[in-house]
Amino acid sequence: MAKTDTKGETARSSRASSRTTSTAASRPARRATSAKTETPYHHGALREALLQAAERVLERDGLAGLTLRAVAREAGVSHAAPTHHFGDLTGLLSELAAVGFRQFNAAMASACDTATTPLERALARPKAYVAYAQVHPGMYGIMFRTERLDYSRPSLHEAAEASFAGLANAIGMMRQEQISGDALTLNQGAAIARAWSMVHGFTTLLLDGRLKDILERLPEGTTAERLLEAMLTAPITTKLPM
Amino acid sequence: MAKTDTKGETARSSRASSRTTSTAASRPARRATSAKTETPYHHGALREALLQAAERVLERDGLAGLTLRAVAREAGVSHAAPTHHFGDLTGLLSELAAVGFRQFNAAMASACDTATTPLERALARPKAYVAYAQVHPGMYGIMFRTERLDYSRPSLHEAAEASFAGLANAIGMMRQEQISGDALTLNQGAAIARAWSMVHGFTTLLLDGRLKDILERLPEGTTAERLLEAMLTAPITTKLPM
DNA sequence: CTCCCTATCTTTACATCGTAAAGATCGGAT
DNA sequence: ATCCGATCTTTACGATGTAAAGATAGGGAG
């Protein structure tokens, strides 16, 4: 009776107890979270270790492979260990998305630094946006897969908010107006929504393979980045963007 | 010893066999798929019944509740019945997405008919696009949740392709060029990508609640539709859309 | 030093899900 | 009438999320 859950899920020793101090060693070699191996043995940095394991699993097996148990397996702990740190699958995904938003913000910021001409400055952010999504498709997928996230978590809320604020600021700067904290005119809101919708929509469609049809019909060897550039700079001939 | 799957999953009689013709009756009242109760008893139109059940489950319980077993339950059949018609969860989702694309195409087509002025004609499609997503958020979610779909299925491929062709045609018509079947200039591709990205991105952000921050800061009572309109018609002051 | 308390991790258990395989049922062709 | 193939049901199994109880430290209070 009850034959479930009885195949060596963790494959760890879990013996050799009986009090011997057992500070280091006897552990299957942690993966050197940072330099110098702070917290070398098991206790201490499980939370971060799990997040890094989750990122690894996500990039290796995609969204479908990103399960609580797979992450625990990757980190070398029991399948219920993540519960104590994240409470929930939603909790883990939310914290991982927060990590993604912080990576994303850093990438956007550094992209703006290297730009020189006004045109380059204007194109740097959109390009960095798409580039991040192409390099980290799994992360981008999580960050905008809202139904599995909990935005009441402060870390996620703050990181995502910073992302939005950076975008709004960039738009405002380009229009040579400062965006006052609270209110927006309709035209300001429209400019922000247009820019964000365009870049986010392009990225989503690109990652979903929806732009393949278009790219194939363009002149030989046109890259997605080139199409993005044209999309942002080409003259608008119809008075309406659509 | 194997105590799984033994709680009345279907709750159907499944007795009373022994040959009595048993054409109609003895069934828990089907939900009247169309008028006059065609195929009143069990056999016959299970495939369509399952698709309708799936749509119902999706609108009631959201994407998370849309499982093979839930659909079977909703349709009043055993949990393995869908397998024979769709093979797979991916199969069911793909066929359901195809239904969605057909609904979507119909909505877009009928929206263009009722427009009179040129401006109305230009705004009809985007508005219908967003409106469909707002009325059928679950369907829209499935249609663009690529990782769970199989585009090699003809029904899905055709319906989605028709959707794209309609969009490309509308853009071409607006630019007063006909889009030749094969090739596209960079500017043509850019125009299509811009329009699609803008509307799709706006829709996605809106459904994910990402535009709430913007909408709240706009003049009192500005709706999403009004923001969309402004986004599509407001003057572009920076020479770059972003 | 000993004892106990709390945070952390492991075990065990269970409901649910997707899917495969074998059994039942029914309509229609031979 | 009988057999066959399509359709549906049963049964079974591995995997997952989650809850609950047991184990294992590390760190104070006495």
Side-chain angles (χ1 to χ4, degrees):
Chain A
M1 55 273 285
K3 62 174 63 173
T4 60
D5 271 315
T6 41
K7 60 233 154 315
E9 175 111 42
T10 54
R12 297 253 309 298
S13 58
S14 105
R15 181 175 323 171
S17 53
S18 64
R19 198 51 59 87
T20 72
T21 49
S22 95
T23 51
S26 93
R27 288 275 149 45
R30 181 110 293 101
R31 268 169 204 75
T33 65
S34 72
K36 292 234 191 97
T37 67
E38 294 181 332
T39 67
Y41 54 86
H42 193 307
H43 296 304
L46 216 196
R47 202 193 131 95
E48 287 193 11
L50 285 170
L51 284 175
Q52 290 177 246
E55 197 172 344
R56 246 175 289 140
V57 171
L58 178 59
E59 303 218 333
R60 173 159 33 84
D61 305 328
L63 251 151
L66 185 60
T67 68
L68 271 182
R69 289 170 110 108
V71 171
R73 231 175 287 141
E74 172 81 17
V77 294
S78 90
H79 70 261
T83 299
H84 191 262
H85 289 278
F86 304 102
D88 220 348
L89 177 60
T90 298
L92 197 162
L93 295 183
S94 300
E95 295 301 322
L96 189 59
V99 172
F101 272 110
R102 285 192 284 265
Q103 289 175 1
F104 176 81
N105 292 338
M108 295 287 274
S110 87
C112 292
D113 294 344
T114 63
T116 57
T117 73
L119 183 68
E120 266 180 20
R121 280 185 57 83
L123 292 179
R125 282 184 161 267
K127 283 190 182 181
Y129 194 115
V130 177
Y132 177 84
Q134 280 182 308
V135 177
H136 307 285
M139 275 293 200
Y140 192 80
I142 282 194
M143 288 154 61
F144 288 93
R145 191 69 86 266
T146 309
E147 73 264 14
R148 297 305 266 165
L149 299 182
D150 175 12
Y151 270 82
S152 71
R153 291 194 164 235
S155 54
L156 176 56
H157 188 73
E158 285 171 21
E161 203 71 16
S163 192
F164 166 72
L167 171 82
N169 257 344
I171 303 292
M173 214 168 282
M174 201 168 296
R175 307 176 104 235
Q176 287 144 341
E177 316 164 350
Q178 74 256 16
I179 305 282
S180 64
D182 280 354
L184 286 174
T185 70
L186 186 56
N187 277 348
Q188 284 173 333
I192 296 175
R194 173 167 45 223
W196 198 9
S197 297
M198 215 154 56
V199 178
H200 180 62
F202 183 85
T203 305
T204 303
L205 292 173
L206 181 64
L207 257 58
D208 282 355
R210 284 304 205 302
L211 297 180
K212 245 182 278 183
D213 286 329
I214 294 180
L215 284 170
E216 283 166 4
R217 292 177 201 176
L218 289 178
E220 187 69 19
T222 307
T223 69
E225 192 181 3
R226 184 78 194 86
L227 178 59
L228 173 70
E229 215 176 292
M231 186 176 103
L232 294 175
T233 61
I236 297 179
T237 62
T238 56
K239 279 200 317 238
L240 287 182
M242 180 168 188
Chain B
M1 56 282 272
K3 61 175 62 171
T4 60
D5 272 313
T6 40
K7 60 237 155 310
E9 175 110 44
T10 53
R12 298 251 309 296
S13 60
S14 106
R15 183 176 321 172
S17 55
S18 66
R19 200 49 60 86
T20 72
T21 50
S22 94
T23 51
S26 92
R27 286 274 148 46
R30 179 115 290 101
R31 265 168 206 76
T33 64
S34 73
K36 289 230 191 98
T37 67
E38 294 180 334
T39 68
Y41 54 86
H42 195 304
H43 297 301
L46 217 197
R47 201 192 129 96
E48 287 195 11
L50 284 171
L51 284 176
Q52 290 177 248
E55 197 173 343
R56 245 176 289 138
V57 171
L58 178 59
E59 303 219 335
R60 172 158 34 83
D61 304 329
L63 250 151
L66 185 59
T67 68
L68 273 181
R69 291 169 110 106
V71 171
R73 229 175 288 141
E74 173 81 18
V77 294
S78 89
H79 70 261
T83 298
H84 192 263
H85 289 277
F86 303 102
D88 220 347
L89 176 59
T90 299
L92 196 161
L93 295 184
S94 299
E95 295 302 321
L96 188 59
V99 172
F101 272 109
R102 286 192 284 268
Q103 290 176 359
F104 176 80
N105 292 338
M108 295 285 276
S110 89
C112 292
D113 294 344
T114 61
T116 58
T117 73
L119 183 68
E120 266 180 19
R121 281 185 54 83
L123 291 180
R125 284 183 158 267
K127 282 190 181 181
Y129 194 115
V130 176
Y132 177 83
Q134 280 183 308
V135 177
H136 307 284
M139 276 292 200
Y140 192 79
I142 281 196
M143 289 155 61
F144 288 93
R145 190 68 86 265
T146 310
E147 73 263 14
R148 295 307 264 166
L149 300 182
D150 175 13
Y151 270 81
S152 71
R153 293 196 163 234
S155 54
L156 176 56
H157 188 75
E158 284 170 22
E161 203 72 15
S163 193
F164 167 72
L167 171 82
N169 257 344
I171 302 291
M173 213 170 283
M174 202 167 296
R175 306 174 106 237
Q176 288 145 341
E177 316 163 351
Q178 74 257 17
I179 304 282
S180 64
D182 280 354
L184 285 174
T185 69
L186 186 56
N187 277 347
Q188 284 173 332
I192 297 175
R194 174 168 42 224
W196 199 8
S197 297
M198 215 154 56
V199 179
H200 179 61
F202 183 85
T203 305
T204 303
L205 291 173
L206 181 64
L207 256 58
D208 282 355
R210 283 306 204 301
L211 296 181
K212 243 181 280 180
D213 286 329
I214 294 180
L215 284 170
E216 283 167 3
R217 293 177 202 179
L218 289 177
E220 188 68 18
T222 309
T223 70
E225 192 181 4
R226 185 76 194 84
L227 178 59
L228 173 70
E229 216 176 289
M231 186 176 101
L232 295 174
T233 61
I236 296 180
T237 61
T238 56
K239 280 202 314 243
L240 288 181
M242 179 169 185

